[in-house]
Amino acid sequence: MTEFGTFEIGCSIGVLTRKLARRCERLLAVDLLPEILARAPARCADLPGVSFPRLAVPPARSLRPGGTLVYSTCTISRAENEDIAAELPGYASTVAADDLGALEPRLASRADRRFLQILPQRDRTTGFFIARFRRES
């Protein structure tokens, strides 16, 4: 156990949070989508020292016109990647996903071709997910 607290940005539904919580005394876990973050406490209810504060201003809603937001994870879990990224425009209606798959077709996610998915078996590295959103002018 470490003696200091840990800050997890982008905790999603709490999958990695469970693993991190076992390695630190205190864990502060946040996510930009409050509706997704709401699922994490139940997954981690048996773990002391874990807290899930809500962000005061969701980043997507606070973007300036033409501003961008990148959502990325180091996992290949569809529930933590494509499913969350696909929901983001519903929470910030002026935000739309950029079509990254058109820029890098070989890396396009099979679940949603607008997003990029790096796969261990194909790309010989750890899994990674990237989605980019832009606020309309």
Side-chain angles (χ1 to χ4, degrees), residues 70-74 81 128-131:
V70 174
Y71 176 76
S72 65
T73 66
C74 54
N81 296 334
F128 203 77
F129 174 83
I130 306 166

Side-chain angles (χ1 to χ4, degrees), residues 68-131:
T68 60
L69 170 75
V70 174
Y71 176 76
S72 65
T73 66
C74 54
T75 179
I76 60 172
S77 165
R78 182 176 178 169
E80 293 188 52
N81 296 334
E82 293 90 351
D83 292 353
I84 291 173
E87 291 181 18
L88 181 62
Y91 301 111
S93 60
T94 60
V95 174
D98 286 338
D99 189 356
L100 297 179
L103 300 173
E104 291 289 340
R106 186 181 74 76
L107 300 177
S109 166
R110 287 182 226 147
D112 189 326
R113 298 203 51 86
R114 298 173 299 169
F115 310 135
L116 301 182
Q117 180 72 71
I118 297 170
L119 300 170
Q121 68 275 17
R122 180 190 66 203
D123 302 308
R124 300 176 67 168
T125 187
T126 58
F128 203 77
F129 174 83
I130 306 166

Side-chain angles (χ1 to χ4, degrees), residues 2-7 24-28:
T2 61
E3 294 181 13
F4 55 91
T6 303
F7 185 53
C24 55
E25 289 181 28
R26 293 181 317 275
L27 175 61
L28 181 70

Side-chain angles (χ1 to χ4, degrees), residues 59-68 94-95 133-137:
R61 292 182 182 145
S62 62
L63 284 175
R64 65 174 173 73
T68 60
T94 60
V95 174
F133 298 88
R134 188 174 313 277
R135 182 169 177 197
E136 299 164 358
S137 300

